[in-house]
Amino acid sequence: MKRVFALVLALALTLTAFTACGGSKPSGSTTTPAASAEPTPEPTPVYDPDPLTGREKPAGFNGGRPVAIMINNIQQCRPQRGLNEAKVLYESKVEGGITRFMGLFEDYENLPDIGPVRSARDQFFRVIMPFQPLYVHIGRSGITQQYIDDADYGDLNVDGNDTTITYWDQNRRNQGFAQEHTAYTNSEWLQKYVDKKGIDMDRELTSPIFDFVNYNEPVRALGGEAATSIGITHSQSYRTYFDYDTATSKYMMSQYSSARGVTPTVDENDKEQVGFNNVFVLFADISAYPYPGGNLDKNGNDKGDPDYQKVDYTFGGLGYYFNNGKCEKIRWFKGATNEVLRFTDESGSSSLKINPGTSYVGIVDLDEYEKFEYTGPETDASISAPAANPDAAASDAAAEKVAE
């Protein structure tokens, strides 16, 4: 009996041993290790920027052909409408020391009132012609018309004197504004012109207008000095100022008025102060075109030299770039009418990387360079403004009248 019990116990131990081994292979056999999983590569972020701001296109983005609109800036026409809608706002001296704006807009189907719309000048047309926008204005200088003809701009040149592209705001007239300061356009009026002429407004820019930092990457920290206040002198009567607002990362715009001093530039549409993420100040040789005669009124009388201003884009020049409370000295280049405005670092060797956002571009007479100034938060120095000149407004209006 003991022998039977011993055999049963030995058999049980043998079965337990095989179970513990888990049915392993005999000694000397090999096991193929499981292949390790390859890590899934991160997908490359899509880069499809808004061509005018470099920002990511929002859902439902409706870009297409941009629209450039000439906007009056004579003191008597302020406040203007639609400045906060501009993705890029250009300012330059025209005649008699006054300045004019040109706004570059997108999504023409959703634009509120823009204006007062004013006459075209060649220094603006030459800057934006390479982008082939719808160029909207009321009247133009003869020099501008020559550039438009040379560029064969056709129906993209929209002169409100010849089309129903603008309307006159009677409410403004009732408030005492002169008629030339009451012409506006908006989506409804633009659509009428587009439909009438069969303009292809689906044509989009193939690349951004500036060399923007990729919006998938961190913004670039400028390497220059702190700059939270900027003072730009275009002439004795026309000066533009910016103060950096950390809450919005924008430079908020103000302008000098001979009657009221420096006051915030407000968009009449939304009653908000106008501001931009990027500010460019570009110094250029600006001088009066020679007057050949022929500036006649409706009665055939010579009104005299209109003092049209010529901006020399031939060789480029010195400039300043402001963003996020900092400033860098830069170089700018333009050249022929069909060449785009380009920015480089101060040495001219590397393209300037520009942070995404809206932009102000001031084209300033080199003669006013000594009056240009900016300050940072570490200094208490205030930017000076000219003393009020009660006769300046009348002089500005007279200069504009001669030039029309």
Side-chain angles (χ1 to χ4, degrees):
M1 189 66 179
K2 290 183 179 179
R3 290 185 60 192
V4 172
F5 179 76
L7 287 172
V8 172
L9 179 61
L11 180 60
L13 291 173
T14 302
L15 291 173
T16 303
F18 274 103
T19 302
C21 291
S24 61
K25 293 183 179 181
S27 177
S29 64
T30 60
T31 302
T32 303
S36 59
E38 290 291 334
T40 302
E42 290 291 329
T44 302
V46 174
Y47 181 58
D48 185 23
D50 176 337
L52 301 187
T53 67
R55 290 172 170 157
E56 182 176 8
K57 293 178 180 176
F61 177 85
N62 185 19
R65 185 187 297 277
V67 177
I69 303 175
M70 296 300 302
I71 301 173
N72 204 354
N73 191 38
I74 195 169
Q75 297 178 34
Q76 295 92 323
C77 82
R78 301 172 188 166
Q80 298 96 333
R81 299 177 191 170
L83 297 184
N84 271 329
E85 299 293 328
K87 303 305 181 184
V88 185
L89 186 72
Y90 300 86
E91 181 179 16
S92 185
K93 182 170 64 173
V94 283
E95 57 273 342
I98 67 177
T99 70
R100 191 155 293 172
F101 291 138
M102 180 183 65
L104 195 56
F105 305 87
E106 60 195 3
D107 192 6
Y108 81 101
E109 295 177 320
N110 291 289
L111 285 181
D113 278 358
I114 309 294
V117 180
R118 208 61 171 118
S119 56
R121 295 292 181 267
D122 68 280
Q123 57 265 55
F124 295 96
F125 176 73
R126 287 188 284 154
V127 166
I128 51 84
M129 196 284 290
F131 307 136
Q132 297 288 291
L134 204 64
Y135 184 47
V136 181
H137 54 91
I138 296 179
R140 77 290 176 270
S141 68
I143 300 164
T144 306
Q145 187 61 53
Q146 187 62 57
Y147 275 102
I148 290 172
D149 291 344
D150 291 345
D152 194 21
Y153 216 59
D155 288 337
L156 293 179
N157 172 49
V158 188
D159 191 330
N161 278 331
D162 303 322
T163 69
T164 54
I165 193 67
T166 57
Y167 76 96
W168 302 98
D169 187 342
Q170 188 59 46
N171 289 333
R172 259 213 167 195
R173 291 294 307 278
N174 295 341
Q175 296 171 34
F177 287 88
Q179 180 169 337
E180 61 265 28
H181 307 323
T182 62
Y184 298 90
T185 191
N186 55 37
S187 291
E188 179 184 354
W189 290 86
L190 291 170
Q191 190 66 60
K192 290 178 183 178
Y193 180 82
V194 167
D195 291 343
K196 178 181 178 181
K197 297 293 185 178
I199 306 296
D200 179 11
M201 295 301 288
D202 291 330
R203 179 174 174 177
E204 293 189 337
L205 296 175
T206 56
S207 63
I209 66 170
F210 301 137
D211 187 5
F212 290 111
V213 173
N214 189 320
Y215 59 72
N216 294 307
E217 301 173 359
V219 298
R220 182 174 73 85
L222 273 62
E225 301 175 302
T228 52
S229 293
I230 309 167
I232 305 166
T233 297
H234 291 279
S235 69
Q236 178 61 31
S237 300
Y238 281 74
R239 302 192 179 198
T240 306
Y241 299 88
F242 292 94
D243 291 297
Y244 182 65
D245 177 28
T246 56
T248 61
S249 299
K250 288 185 176 181
Y251 283 90
M252 309 309 294
M253 185 177 183
S254 300
Q255 293 184 90
Y256 171 72
S257 164
S258 59
R260 292 176 292 174
V262 178
T263 55
T265 302
V266 174
D267 188 328
E268 194 176 34
N269 284 338
D270 58 19
K271 307 301 188 293
E272 297 289 336
Q273 187 174 4
V274 177
F276 301 92
N277 303 105
N278 300 309
V279 171
F280 297 92
V281 182
L282 313 180
F283 287 96
D285 185 7
I286 302 179
S287 59
Y289 278 107
Y291 177 51
N295 184 28
L296 308 179
D297 63 18
K298 62 182 180 180
N299 297 317
N301 300 314
D302 195 321
K303 295 190 294 183
D305 187 351
D307 190 39
Y308 293 135
Q309 298 293 296
K310 176 183 179 181
V311 176
D312 188 351
Y313 290 127
T314 307
F315 303 108
L318 171 69
Y320 290 81
Y321 170 45
F322 298 87
N323 175 267
N324 283 329
K326 299 290 288 294
C327 169
E328 287 181 345
K329 191 178 289 188
I330 64 172
R331 304 287 299 181
W332 65 268
F333 301 89
K334 171 67 175 76
T337 303
N338 62 348
E339 295 180 21
V340 299
L341 180 64
R342 297 180 295 110
F343 304 122
T344 71
D345 60 13
E346 186 180 5
S347 70
S349 59
S350 299
S351 178
L352 185 73
K353 300 300 291 187
I354 297 164
N355 286 321
T358 57
S359 299
Y360 164 92
V361 180
I363 302 168
V364 185
D365 195 334
L366 192 58
D367 290 344
E368 306 291 354
Y369 180 78
E370 294 299 325
K371 298 175 185 175
F372 167 67
E373 51 192 334
Y374 61 88
T375 63
E378 71 284 351
T379 176
D380 294 330
S382 60
I383 292 179
S384 60
N389 177 4
D391 299 323
S395 299
D396 296 342
E400 188 182 51
K401 201 68 177 175
V402 170
E404 291 306 317

